[in-house]
Amino acid sequence: MTRLVFPEGFVWGAATAAYQIEGAVGEDGRGLSIWDTFARTPGNVVGGDTGDVAADHYHRFGADVAMMRDLGLSAYRFSVAWPRVQPTGRGPANAAGLDFYDRLVDEILGSGIDPMLTLYHWDLPQALDGGWTSRDTAARFAEYAAIVANRLGDRVSRWTTLNEPWCSAFLGYASGVHAPGRKEPAEALKAVHHLMLAHGLGTRALRDALPATAEVSIVLNLAAVSPASPEGKDAARRVDGLANRIFLDPLFGAGYPADVKRDTADLTDWSFVHDGDEAVIATPIDLLGVNYYSPTVVDLGTAEPDSPWPHDIETVAPPGPRTAMGWPIDASGLGAILTRLRDEYPPIPVMITENGAAFDDELTADAVRDPERVDYLRRHLTVAHEAIRAGVDLRGYFVWSLLDNFEWAYGYGKRFGIIHVDYATQRRVWKDSAYWYREVIKANGINGTA
Ligand code: FCB
């Protein structure tokens, strides 16, 4: 084993999202989100699970932040629930909702941890008609961003507009496995644009409200795409377009890719892109967040039911180990994404804002032995370290997730936490991976896998 030490000041974090951990969905004036509606509709979430109680973080945030301090985290990435701040997605702020995040931020800072705030991690106010297919939602998002920035901008310096707009658009509007559960591929493309417009308008609103030193970012789940066979080469190009370049190109000023527009011409004429929109989307940001779990292998074929990709493309499961999600374990995709960003896009600092794995953890007495998760994290951190040596401007790493939580359409059955949650009692137990991560942070390094 080789000792791999990270650069001084490397950010060690953990990530969560509001709907996945907070619970308290009916408290202090919170409005309904599309995930409340979606999860409460039978058949959408395994076991009929909802985020109604989740990990009860809304009431237990003090103890949860104390665990973050004990872990030694330098940063904590969390999201604000838009329907707590604006219950109907528009109009004046709900004071009680903002107060919660005010107390949370003070608790985080008081523990010596740097808060990294995501404005949108999928819990759109239900009252916003049309959701992301409506252009107006982008303007509403910018207003919401300004409200939160005006309240917390004196203390929070790291701001993220959107988490994984690919999931919001393609899982929400094409495959329908996420809220709002629509299966209309043309609407998904419209949603992509309105999300990116929201990002651009939101970035401008944040710049107006925040000190010049604030860091503004977006978080993308970029895909490491490869073809399963020579015949699948063009399928891989198309998937790369829809997963990566449709976001990265406009973000970095090149507009929507011509091949993506051509590939989707049977669905839409792209007239939802108005003059000036692409300039808004290209508003400079300070950091790019990358979430990575697993590589994507595709081929020409027949799309499986609920696939977010075009109907003549199938995803192929490569051989080798998998997580409890069935996702292949292969850290090389993370390296491929990071070096590609370095080589093909303008220079920008990057953080890995989510990485982690679900396994069928078992709680025995007061312990959870999760060597597979430790192995998974070690492999990905080894690749992260390699990327830094190869000149990637990688500034930090956030494990997904701090706590077991509501894993969207999979409900509570899939456990990603480094801390175990017993949902019947809300007791938290550190898994072995949490103790391991604490040592990694303390040493600012790992024993690498290679
Ligand atoms: C990401 C999401 C996050 C979590 C992980 C497993 O796509 O951002 O909320 O569900 O996957």
Side-chain angles (χ1 to χ4, degrees):
M1 280 198 194
T2 344
R3 191 79 204 131
L4 303 176
V5 177
F6 283 75
E8 208 182 309
F10 190 77
V11 172
W12 294 102
T16 64
Y19 189 70
Q20 295 179 277
I21 62 165
E22 285 179 358
V25 291
E27 279 179 55
D28 295 334
R30 175 185 177 279
L32 265 190
S33 84
I34 57 173
W35 266 96
D36 296 300
T37 308
F38 184 79
R40 288 170 187 171
T41 307
N44 284 341
V45 176
V46 174
D49 290 348
T50 70
D52 287 3
V53 178
D56 196 32
H57 175 74
Y58 194 77
H59 300 115
R60 293 166 195 268
F61 73 89
D64 288 343
V65 174
M67 291 195 300
M68 297 176 207
R69 188 195 51 221
D70 293 345
L71 274 167
L73 297 186
S74 34
Y76 171 52
R77 174 172 179 252
F78 66 100
S79 80
V80 170
W82 185 350
R84 287 197 196 283
V85 175
Q86 287 178 300
T88 61
R90 61 181 81 236
N94 166 38
L98 271 180
D99 284 350
F100 169 69
Y101 295 106
D102 198 274
R103 291 195 302 274
L104 175 63
V105 162
D106 283 346
E107 194 76 24
I108 296 167
L109 288 168
S111 301
I113 300 167
D114 198 4
M116 183 170 191
L117 185 157
T118 299
L119 284 164
Y120 185 72
H121 199 128
W122 308 353
D123 42 1
L124 188 73
Q126 177 67 58
L128 290 178
D129 232 20
W132 290 109
T133 65
S134 163
R135 188 176 169 91
D136 183 58
T137 300
R140 300 284 72 75
F141 176 79
E143 268 176 27
Y144 155 65
I147 291 173
V148 182
N150 282 323
R151 179 66 180 265
L152 301 175
D154 57 335
R155 283 157 291 157
V156 174
S157 58
R158 299 183 192 272
W159 294 76
T160 299
T161 54
L162 309 178
N163 177 71
E164 302 189 351
W166 180 86
C167 291
S168 299
F170 290 97
L171 301 184
Y173 295 88
S175 76
V177 300
H178 278 190
R182 290 170 61 176
K183 295 178 191 264
E184 300 157 69
E187 296 300 282
L189 294 168
K190 212 190 257 179
V192 165
H193 180 58
H194 295 149
L195 282 152
M196 292 312 283
L197 188 60
H199 159 76
L201 294 172
T203 298
R204 291 184 176 188
L206 290 176
R207 295 282 185 219
D208 286 346
L210 296 173
T213 49
E215 169 196 277
V216 179
S217 60
I218 185 170
V219 166
L220 301 176
N221 53 320
L222 297 175
V225 189
S226 60
S229 72
E231 293 70 49
K233 241 186 111 184
D234 196 57
R237 176 195 60 77
R238 282 152 64 205
V239 167
D240 174 52
L242 292 167
N244 300 321
R245 290 180 288 109
I246 198 172
F247 300 104
L248 290 170
D249 289 13
L251 209 50
F252 291 104
Y256 290 107
D259 64 326
V260 172
K261 286 188 172 171
R262 228 171 23 241
D263 293 341
T264 56
D266 57 330
L267 292 174
T268 173
D269 60 7
W270 288 73
S271 56
F272 47 75
V273 182
H274 297 184
D275 278 355
D277 286 0
E278 284 165 319
V280 172
I281 295 170
T283 304
I285 53 174
D286 306 302
L287 177 98
L288 180 65
V290 174
N291 294 353
Y292 178 81
Y293 291 92
S294 194
T296 306
V297 183
V298 297
D299 212 338
L300 267 191
T302 310
E304 42 287 344
D306 294 342
S307 166
W309 307 121
H311 53 77
D312 61 336
I313 295 177
E314 64 181 15
T315 45
V316 177
R322 314 268 186 91
T323 70
M325 300 293 283
W327 297 347
I329 301 174
D330 180 358
S332 68
L334 175 61
I337 289 167
L338 294 175
T339 47
R340 183 205 193 164
L341 286 172
R342 178 200 64 190
D343 295 342
E344 296 180 23
Y345 290 93
I348 184 155
V350 175
M351 286 202 199
I352 298 165
T353 35
E354 285 180 27
N355 175 244
F359 290 104
D360 295 324
D361 301 319
E362 270 178 55
L363 176 66
T364 46
D366 269 344
V368 179
R369 306 279 173 231
D370 60 343
E372 307 101 321
R373 185 172 288 105
V374 170
D375 182 67
Y376 178 100
L377 298 176
R378 190 198 304 279
R379 283 173 190 280
H380 288 77
L381 281 169
T382 300
V383 166
H385 190 271
E386 255 164 44
I388 294 172
R389 272 184 313 185
V392 172
D393 189 3
L394 182 65
R395 305 283 178 94
Y397 175 91
F398 292 73
V399 65
W400 183 273
S401 178
L402 178 75
L403 301 170
D404 288 340
N405 60 53
F406 176 78
E407 179 44 39
W408 308 113
Y410 295 89
Y412 295 101
K414 300 296 179 212
R415 295 178 174 273
F416 275 88
I418 56 171
I419 293 173
H420 184 275
V421 176
D422 175 347
Y423 294 108
T425 61
Q426 293 296 345
R427 196 165 72 104
R428 275 74 162 140
V429 171
W430 286 33
K431 302 179 191 178
D432 282 358
S433 56
Y435 292 105
W436 176 81
Y437 194 47
R438 182 172 68 179
E439 294 311 308
V440 169
I441 297 172
K442 207 184 284 169
N444 194 35
I446 55 166
N447 290 321
T449 47

